């Protein structure tokens, strides 16, 4: 890979023929004006300071729209009245270069923070959007009927409506930080991304002066319950469910896994914690089928069900490896970034028994006091194989991390606050 100071790069039409970036990005600077904006738009190639474009996986649809003549390439978004419906940060973590490497902490307020550049003609767009909404799921109405949830008229209504704030996050990768997170050299990371996408982004190799990459992958959605201002406060109860996408279960209610039941249980715990004066966060990531994809996932389903002797916990992961080559490609190393964006330093109730998720969060510097398992009564009969297989493979840990005395001390501090 060429040295960053080299001037002998091969040039592509998407970037100007110069190493002098109009707006260099100094990742990790706490002052946004020193950090600089992420400019990934195509309206003025000379202003671009990243590899890739906005919209994550939807960037390809934008390309089709332009090619089909339905969208002009120089379209500029009218961002009037699109500012965040709730403010987040800034937090100390925003100024720590290796704490957040997979999203732009200033992404929600980029047009506002960098308004002086916008006035000079820079096409700067948000990579995060924050809005208010209501959600309503039949499982929550069931929880009300069973007495587990009690409507309060503010967070939870009698008809099951829940008031939330939600944020959509596009991936923004700081390549040097991503490389360190995975224990790689930056050169190895860039080459791997370039080669294993069939050469889709040559600038990963030819423009080593560009440190930021916007990959065409799915992002994250965060749902907030209760008073968002308490989320960074380590002394006020916070419930968190980190959930990886499962379209078959989350949307269509497939009973071969526990994904939707665990998701709705996580929401229930978040509501309860919010009603107790704390807050709840659901972090939903687009990593379908353990990031192997839904086609691979369905192929594995077929293989599991058709094998001699039927589906079993003993062969659960073996069949996945036969098709995909690995058991899991979710790489939870990047997952804690969204939690650091929220300023979280302590999670009181972590609604997950996944050791992969737990260990990644704790390793990143966030304390977890209690791990909340899915109640046995919520596990579908056909999902028993999955649960047994994951337990046998060491995916899960049961029980609580903190003692009851420690939890009572936390609750006492919350009441004092």
């Amino acid at each position: 890979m060429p040295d960053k100071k080299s001037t002998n790069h091969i040039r592509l039409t998407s970037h100007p023929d110069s190493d002098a970036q109009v707006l260099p990005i100094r990742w990790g600077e706490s002052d946004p004006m020193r950090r600089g904006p992420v400019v990934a738009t195509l309206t003025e190639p000379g202003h671009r300071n990243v590899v890739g474009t906005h919209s994550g996986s939807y960037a390809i649809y934008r390309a089709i729209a332009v090619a089909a003549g339905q969208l002009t390439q120089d379209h500029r978004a009218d961002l009037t009245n699109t500012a965040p419906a709730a403010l987040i940060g800034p937090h100390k973590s925003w100024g720590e270069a290796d704490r957040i490497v997979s999203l732009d902490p200033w992404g929600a307020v980029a047009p506002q923070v960098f308004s002086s550049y916008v006035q000079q003609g820079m096409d700067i767009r948000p990579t995060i959007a924050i809005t208010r909404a209501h959600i309503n799921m039949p499982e929550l109405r069931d929880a009300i009927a069973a007495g587990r949830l009690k409507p309060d008229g503010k967070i939870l209504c009698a008809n099951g409506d829940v008031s939330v704030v939600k944020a959509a996050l596009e991936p923004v990768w700081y390549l040097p930080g991503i490389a360190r997170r995975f224990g790689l050299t930056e050169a190895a990371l860039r080459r791997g991304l370039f080669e294993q996408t069939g050469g889709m982004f040559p600038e990963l190799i030819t423009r080593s002066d560009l440190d930021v990459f916007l990959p065409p992958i799915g992002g994250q959605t965060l749902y907030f319950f209760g008073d968002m201002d308490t989320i960074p406060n380590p002394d006020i109860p916070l419930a968190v469910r980190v959930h990886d996408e499962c379209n078959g279960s989350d949307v269509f209610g497939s009973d071969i896994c526990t994904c939707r039941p665990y998701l709705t249980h996580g929401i229930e715990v978040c509501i309860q914690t919010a009603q107790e004066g704390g807050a709840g966060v659901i972090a939903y990531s687009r990593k379908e089928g353990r990031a192997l994809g839904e086609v691979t996932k369905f192929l594995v389903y077929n293989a599991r069900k058709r094998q001699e002797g039927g589906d079993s916990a003993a062969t659960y992961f073996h069949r996945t490896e036969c098709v995909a080559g690995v058991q899991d490609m979710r790489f939870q190393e990047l997952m804690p970034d969204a939690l650091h964006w929220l300023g979280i330093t302590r999670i009181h109730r972590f609604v997950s028994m996944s050791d992969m998720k737990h260990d990644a969060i704790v390793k990143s510097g966030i304390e977890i006091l209690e791990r909340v398992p899915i109640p046995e009564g919520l596990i579908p009969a056909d999902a028993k194989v999955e649960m047994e297989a994951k337990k046998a493979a060491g995916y899960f840990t049961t029980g609580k991390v903190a003692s009851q005395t420690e939890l009572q001390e936390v609750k006492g501090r919350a009441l004092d606050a």
Side-chain angles (χ1 to χ4, degrees), residues 24 47 69 121 173 224 378 390:
H47 294 167
W173 287 7
F224 309 109
L378 295 182
K390 288 184 175 181

Side-chain angles (χ1 to χ4, degrees), residues 39 61 79 93 98 114 122 126 131 138 157 179-181 228 261 273-274 278 282-283 304 318 334 357 359 364 386 410:
V39 185
Y61 290 103
L79 299 175
S93 54
D98 282 332
F114 302 111
M122 300 282 184
T131 190
C157 294
R180 286 192 288 271
R181 191 74 63 87
M228 291 180 59
T273 306
I282 299 291
R304 284 170 50 194
H318 173 67
L334 303 180
K357 294 175 183 177
D359 294 351
S364 78
E386 176 202 50
V410 171

Side-chain angles (χ1 to χ4, degrees), residues 248-262:
S249 179
D250 296 343
V251 178
F252 293 101
S254 170
D255 62 357
I256 199 171
C257 62
T258 60
C259 295
R260 182 180 172 98
Y262 221 147

Side-chain angles (χ1 to χ4, degrees), residues 129-140:
I130 305 171
T131 190
R132 296 184 184 275
H134 290 88
I135 64 172
N136 193 313
M137 304 173 77
E139 290 89 345
L140 300 180

Side-chain angles (χ1 to χ4, degrees), residues 88-407:
I88 293 174
H91 297 294
K92 179 183 176 183
S93 54
W94 293 22
E96 299 174 352
D98 282 332
R99 187 73 69 183
I100 300 175
V101 299
S102 62
L103 60 91
D104 178 8
W106 300 99
V109 291
Q112 292 78 33
V113 169
F114 302 111
S115 60
S116 60
Y117 290 128
V118 174
Q119 292 169 7
Q120 296 173 38
M122 300 282 184
D123 190 358
I124 297 171
R125 303 186 189 181
T127 56
I128 299 174
I130 305 171
T131 190
R132 296 184 184 275
H134 290 88
I135 64 172
N136 193 313
M137 304 173 77
E139 290 89 345
L140 300 180
R141 297 195 294 273
D142 293 343
I144 292 174
R148 297 195 307 272
L149 287 178
K150 299 185 183 302
D152 58 84
K154 182 180 179 181
I155 297 172
L156 175 65
C157 294
N159 68 349
D161 280 354
V162 185
S163 297
V164 299
V165 172
K166 58 183 181 179
L169 288 68
E170 290 179 6
V172 179
W173 287 7
Y174 173 56
L175 292 173
I178 296 281
R180 286 192 288 271
R181 191 74 63 87
F182 286 99
L184 303 171
T185 64
E186 186 182 343
L189 173 66
R190 286 175 176 265
R191 183 162 295 281
L193 291 171
F194 169 70
E195 292 179 348
Q196 296 306 312
T197 57
M200 190 173 184
F201 293 98
E203 290 150 334
L204 289 167
I205 302 299
T206 65
R207 291 298 306 270
S208 56
D209 58 304
L210 300 176
D211 287 334
V212 177
F213 173 44
L214 275 61
I217 61 174
Q220 284 183 296
T221 307
L222 307 181
Y223 283 79
F224 309 109
F225 303 78
D227 185 355
M228 291 180 59
D229 292 338
T230 71
I231 291 176
N233 190 329
D235 295 328
I236 296 180
L238 174 66
V240 173
R241 165 69 183 166
V242 173
H243 190 91
D244 293 325
E245 179 181 29
C246 177
N247 184 61
S249 179
D250 296 343
V251 178
F252 293 101
S254 170
D255 62 357
I256 199 171
C257 62
T258 60
C259 295
R260 182 180 172 98
Y262 221 147
L263 175 61
T264 57
H265 178 59
I267 293 173
E268 188 174 327
V269 174
C270 285
I271 292 171
Q272 291 169 342
T273 306
Q275 290 178 327
E276 295 167 0
V281 176
I282 299 291
Y284 192 95
S285 299
R286 269 56 185 208
K287 296 179 183 176
E288 178 66 58
R290 297 191 219 118
L292 301 172
E294 204 164 29
V295 170
T296 296
K297 184 180 188 178
F298 288 7
L299 293 174
V300 171
Y301 283 168
N302 286 344
R304 284 170 50 194
K305 294 173 182 177
R306 292 169 179 167
Q307 65 189 345
E308 185 176 352
D311 197 7
S312 69
T315 58
Y316 180 89
F317 285 113
H318 173 67
R319 296 310 302 153
T320 301
E321 287 186 281
C322 287
V323 178
V326 295
Q327 292 183 6
D328 198 316
M329 286 198 301
R330 282 176 290 181
F331 298 119
Q332 300 294 352
E333 287 86 348
L334 303 180
M335 171 268 294
D337 287 20
L339 306 181
H340 287 294
W341 176 60
L342 299 174
I344 294 174
T345 57
R346 174 181 288 164
I347 297 171
H348 303 81
R349 308 178 75 188
F350 183 54
V351 191
S352 171
M353 301 316 296
S354 165
D355 286 346
M356 292 173 64
K357 294 175 183 177
H358 169 275
D359 294 351
I361 291 172
V362 171
K363 184 178 179 181
S364 78
I366 296 174
E367 183 182 12
I368 292 177
L369 297 187
E370 179 185 3
R371 298 170 74 172
V372 181
I374 184 172
E376 189 70 24
L378 295 182
I379 300 175
D382 279 357
K384 301 288 186 181
V385 169
E386 176 202 50
M387 295 297 286
E388 291 304 317
K390 288 184 175 181
K391 288 177 183 177
Y395 260 61
F396 289 164
T397 292
T398 57
K400 295 180 178 179
V401 175
S403 69
Q404 287 299 319
T405 300
E406 291 171 319
L407 293 174

Side-chain angles (χ1 to χ4, degrees), residues 20-102:
Q21 298 176 40
V22 175
L23 290 173
I25 297 175
R26 301 179 181 89
W27 199 268
E29 287 282 355
S30 57
D31 179 348
M33 295 304 289
R34 282 190 55 79
R35 204 298 300 270
V38 169
V39 185
T41 48
L42 297 167
T43 50
E44 177 49 65
H47 294 167
R48 286 169 49 75
N49 57 7
V50 303
V51 178
T53 58
H54 288 299
S55 299
S57 58
Y58 295 98
I60 304 302
Y61 290 103
R62 180 190 180 280
I64 293 175
V66 171
Q70 297 180 15
L71 175 67
T72 59
Q73 184 169 331
D74 60 354
H75 169 74
R76 290 197 177 219
D78 180 354
L79 299 175
T80 304
N81 293 329
T82 62
L87 294 179
I88 293 174
H91 297 294
K92 179 183 176 183
S93 54
W94 293 22
E96 299 174 352
D98 282 332
R99 187 73 69 183
I100 300 175
V101 299
S102 62

